[in-house]
Amino acid sequence: MSHSGTTLILIMTIAVLAPLLAYGAGRWLPVPLVIFEILLGILIGPDALDWARPDALINGLSQLGLAMLIFLAGYEIEFGKVRGDTLRRSVWAWAAALALGLGAGVLLGDGYDKGVFIGVALTSTALGTVLPVLRDAGDLHGRFGSVVMAFGAVGEFGPIIAMALLLSGRSAAQSTALLAAFAALTAGAVYWALKPRPPWFSRIIAKTLHSSGQFAVRFVFLLLALMLGASTALGLDVLLGAFAAGLITRLVLTGAAPESGPQILEKVEAVGFGFLVPVFFVVTGIEFDLDSLLAGGRTLLLLPLFLVLFLVVRGGPVALLAPRDLARRDRGALVLYSSTALPLVVAITTIGVDDEALTAGEAAALVGAGMLSVLVFPLLALRLRARAGGKVLPAEQVTGSESW
């Protein structure tokens, strides 16, 4: 059997084992599924058992998994909720986090070249990782869920924009022009998405939804491919295209097939969370540089420092700018969810190592801190919500103090 085949079998074995382990551990502690996927990936990786080593095929599937994770995060955003005062607060909170992050990064990195990678990584929120936790806890729909979604969406989208502007190696003017071109393409796509679809479009979706045709699912993946292609053609990170594709897909399906939308999403999630996303997280574990982290010295000390900085840099502004109608414990839970980071940290550190701006040890410390944030912060947030009696009302019954 080829090396790719063996590695893929091991990855999918972990993908099957991880939910079983999460279910078993859930009797005592609700450990996020991604933690088991990453830890088992480390176990079979070069720095432990050395059973698996990614090649071009596995890395390609991993990148598709990351794109799918960001796509699904974009799809989950409900425009009717993510706007108004909440959106303004979330944007200002991220802008303040970027300023703090760049300052901390420059100090830790002894200069801007390294500090910009550290700083942008510290501002990210793992919305794609947080949303399943919120959904499983019954917190996704309602006032608290909409606030987390707003702050998380900006924490996901903001670093992607910052990556395009600050980490591309291009001049600021050139990066801004390319972003403006992509924004124009996205605006055109949104305008098209909001236009009424012809009657045959809905009929084809309904007729093929449970057949081998699967028109709607194929159409969703076409939109994803088009937006990934557009971002690549403009020299931008594909994650920008994936996020935009999720937003556009929701608009199209909401207008053209509101009854079938949840079923279509279930099918797309089956491909994402059933195959591609687990590949990304397991490969993250396989590629994790455990030797560099355990070598000791400054690298090992950086891991807890980065974990604290996630809370200070990302969570501090969120705590100050959280909507005033949230209870104190809910504000604390919002801070913890917003400070949870991993997928974009992996993407940013990969670019940093490739550009020789970050050492393997520094990248491992950042990713390790992101892993700990995924393990610790959502658990603490769930505990805070439980102590506050944070039962979520149906979305239509939730009222807030702000004008939407």
Side-chain angles (χ1 to χ4, degrees):
M1 184 180 294
S2 68
H3 180 73
S4 295
T6 302
T7 299
L8 186 58
I9 289 173
L10 289 170
I11 289 172
M12 296 317 300
T13 300
I14 290 175
V16 172
L17 285 175
L20 299 177
L21 294 172
Y23 176 79
R27 300 176 182 179
W28 300 279
L29 197 66
V31 181
L33 178 65
V34 59
I35 293 299
F36 291 105
E37 292 170 343
I38 294 176
L39 291 179
L40 291 174
I42 293 174
L43 180 64
I44 67 171
D47 291 346
L49 297 176
D50 197 16
W51 290 352
R53 290 178 180 268
D55 56 14
L57 173 62
I58 300 300
N59 281 325
L61 290 173
S62 175
Q63 290 302 307
L64 282 175
L66 176 57
M68 179 59 70
L69 187 68
I70 302 301
F71 168 84
L72 291 170
Y75 186 95
E76 287 282 3
I77 296 174
E78 300 180 40
F79 290 95
K81 297 179 180 180
V82 184
R83 62 181 184 182
D85 183 60
T86 298
L87 181 59
R88 286 190 292 273
R89 287 175 178 274
S90 62
V91 170
W92 280 111
W94 184 81
L98 181 62
L100 288 174
L102 290 176
V106 169
L107 288 175
L108 287 173
D110 295 324
Y112 179 81
D113 291 343
K114 179 180 294 187
V116 67
F117 287 93
I118 297 173
V120 173
L122 292 174
T123 68
S124 67
T125 295
L127 181 61
T129 305
V130 166
L131 287 179
V133 177
L134 289 171
R135 187 188 297 114
D136 293 344
D139 285 346
L140 184 57
H141 300 291
R143 172 62 177 153
F144 178 73
S146 67
V147 173
V148 174
M149 192 178 299
F151 279 80
V154 176
E156 191 101 62
F157 191 65
I160 293 174
I161 296 295
M163 289 169 66
L165 285 172
L166 303 176
L167 308 183
S168 64
R170 293 184 293 262
S171 66
Q174 186 180 8
S175 296
T176 302
L178 291 173
L179 278 173
F182 183 81
L185 285 173
T186 303
V190 169
Y191 174 76
W192 169 82
L194 292 173
K195 294 181 65 176
R197 305 267 75 77
W200 63 263
F201 191 85
S202 299
R203 288 199 299 270
I204 290 292
I205 287 178
K207 188 173 182 179
T208 63
L209 190 58
H210 301 291
S211 71
S212 60
Q214 298 289 325
F215 171 77
V217 176
R218 298 183 186 197
F219 183 77
V220 167
F221 282 104
L222 172 61
L223 286 178
L224 176 58
L226 287 172
M227 295 309 295
L228 293 179
S231 58
T232 301
L234 291 171
L236 302 172
D237 197 285
V238 294
L239 302 185
L240 186 62
F243 196 86
L247 300 175
I248 294 165
T249 299
R250 186 180 187 93
L251 292 175
V252 172
L253 296 182
T254 300
E259 302 85 4
S260 304
Q263 298 178 64
I264 297 168
L265 178 60
E266 287 179 2
K267 292 175 178 288
V268 175
E269 283 184 331
V271 177
F273 291 126
F275 176 48
L276 292 173
V277 174
V279 172
F280 165 69
F281 283 119
V282 176
V283 170
T284 297
I286 294 173
E287 294 183 333
F288 185 75
D289 197 337
L290 187 62
D291 284 346
S292 295
L293 184 64
L294 298 180
R298 178 177 182 270
T299 298
L300 192 57
L301 292 176
L302 282 175
L303 191 150
L305 177 59
F306 284 141
L307 184 64
V308 172
L309 285 175
F310 281 132
L311 269 179
V312 173
V313 170
R314 181 71 182 114
V318 171
L320 292 174
L321 292 167
R324 300 305 176 192
D325 61 310
L326 290 184
R328 182 172 60 87
R329 290 185 183 273
D330 285 349
R331 292 165 67 88
L334 173 63
V335 168
L336 290 165
Y337 279 131
S338 298
S339 303
T340 302
L342 184 60
L344 289 180
V345 174
V346 174
I348 292 168
T349 54
T350 299
I351 297 171
V353 172
D354 290 343
D355 291 351
E356 299 183 351
L358 294 177
T359 66
E362 290 165 338
L366 263 172
V367 173
M371 290 165 54
L372 286 178
S373 77
V374 169
L375 174 62
V376 176
F377 294 164
L379 292 180
L380 294 176
L382 289 171
R383 291 286 181 89
L384 279 176
R385 290 279 291 161
R387 289 179 182 176
K391 292 297 183 182
V392 182
L393 295 171
E396 62 271 14
Q397 298 180 19
V398 176
T399 57
S401 63
E402 64 183 298
S403 173
W404 293 93

